Amino acid sequence: MSDGSDRPYSRSAAVYDVIYGTGEFDYPGHAAAVTALIEERNPDAATLLEVGCGTGLFLELLVERFAVSGVDVSAEMLAVAAARLPGVPLHSADMRSFILDDRFDAVVCLFSSLGYMTTEADLRLAVTRMAAHLAPGGVLVVDGWLRPEGVIDGYMGLDSAAGDGVTVARMSFTRLGEGVTDLEMHHLVGRPGAGVDYFVERHRMGVYPDEVYVAALTAAGLEGVTVAPGYRGRGRFAGLLSPGRRPDDGE
């Protein structure tokens, strides 16, 4: 039985930005693309909530355009975000059940964070919670995880990066189950004078076709749902809450 030390981001939060802060992942490009999606639907959008905000790496790119807030379930990731974004409201909560007092002109859930919903029921719950935090005329943008046809059972991937005095190598191993992928993420983290640390984290992600995401946004009250290429070619779904409509909060 796991003691919890292999749960997602329990140890990798400290080096997450070393891996994802490199040019290959192009956070600035995604920030520009997401901002354009929002402004196409709501040019006057001024407030934004990121669900699954992680270390705040993406929010940091949006603070000059929006008044931003974040939600994440990982205490370790939120600790990094709080250090990066002093004064930004950050909330520790599960995306399936979070309730905030504010409503936002845009709510985003990016880079496959929604993939941690491993059943369609949980996916719909999470999307409904996000939609419930939109102001009338607000925009919801979410990224999906891998599509069923894009999963390679037994796939192995390798990422490596260096920065802030740390060198990280991460090898992933993917197994396809019944509607889910199980990923083992093996990390080697080297620090000069301190040696090399090794640890494993395990991620279970739900695998859905595009129509499941579209149906979830539509059921949550979003109109004009579109699909575009997102992070690493995965689906990026966007919809608008009609200016005259409030979604069912489900509270």
Side-chain angles (χ1 to χ4, degrees), residues 160-229:
S160 61
D164 297 328
V166 179
T167 300
V168 182
R170 184 185 68 182
M171 180 171 283
S172 62
F173 177 66
T174 303
R175 280 297 191 191
L176 177 62
E178 188 66 34
V180 298
T181 53
D182 286 303
L183 288 82
E184 291 182 358
M185 297 287 199
H186 297 257
H187 298 74
L188 289 171
V189 179
R191 295 178 174 86
V196 178
D197 189 21
Y198 168 73
F199 58 90
V200 181
E201 293 177 349
R202 292 176 170 82
H203 303 247
R204 173 164 282 191
M205 314 281 284
V207 178
Y208 309 105
D210 285 359
E211 52 263 32
V212 170
Y213 295 102
V214 172
L217 268 69
T218 302
L222 282 302
E223 300 178 351
V225 178
T226 59
V227 186

Side-chain angles (χ1 to χ4, degrees), residues 149-160:
E149 65 273 17
V151 179
I152 301 173
D153 189 28
Y155 175 79
M156 300 193 75
L158 175 65
D159 295 301
S160 61

Side-chain angles (χ1 to χ4, degrees), residues 26-237:
D26 191 20
Y27 270 49
H30 287 289
V34 169
T35 298
L37 272 177
I38 294 167
E39 290 180 339
E40 285 171 9
R41 293 159 176 79
N42 186 347
D44 298 323
T47 58
L48 179 144
L49 172 69
E50 184 180 12
V51 179
C53 66
T55 65
L57 192 60
F58 188 74
L59 277 182
E60 185 178 37
L61 297 170
L62 299 177
V63 292
E64 293 187 5
R65 171 60 182 84
F66 302 99
V68 300
S69 300
V71 169
D72 205 284
V73 74
S74 167
E76 294 86 357
M77 296 287 260
L78 282 175
V80 178
R84 164 177 275 122
L85 299 168
V88 169
L90 300 171
H91 308 273
S92 176
D94 188 308
M95 67 173 66
R96 294 167 293 188
S97 57
F98 74 98
I99 300 173
L100 306 181
D101 292 334
D102 295 324
R103 296 297 178 263
F104 301 86
D105 298 323
V107 176
V108 301
C109 182
L110 304 171
F111 309 113
S112 301
S113 294
L114 194 55
Y116 287 98
M117 303 297 99
T118 56
T119 68
E120 290 188 27
D122 279 349
L123 178 71
R124 289 192 297 270
L125 276 175
V127 170
T128 298
R129 285 282 81 225
M130 295 175 205
H133 287 79
L134 286 172
V139 182
L140 177 62
V141 182
V142 302
D143 283 355
W145 173 233
L146 295 172
R147 299 175 174 95
E149 65 273 17
V151 179
I152 301 173
D153 189 28
Y155 175 79
M156 300 193 75
L158 175 65
D159 295 301
S160 61
D164 297 328
V166 179
T167 300
V168 182
R170 184 185 68 182
M171 180 171 283
S172 62
F173 177 66
T174 303
R175 280 297 191 191
L176 177 62
E178 188 66 34
V180 298
T181 53
D182 286 303
L183 288 82
E184 291 182 358
M185 297 287 199
H186 297 257
H187 298 74
L188 289 171
V189 179
R191 295 178 174 86
V196 178
D197 189 21
Y198 168 73
F199 58 90
V200 181
E201 293 177 349
R202 292 176 170 82
H203 303 247
R204 173 164 282 191
M205 314 281 284
V207 178
Y208 309 105
D210 285 359
E211 52 263 32
V212 170
Y213 295 102
V214 172
L217 268 69
T218 302
L222 282 302
E223 300 178 351
V225 178
T226 59
V227 186
Y231 174 67
R232 289 188 162 180
R234 300 164 196 166
R236 176 163 288 161
F237 306 85

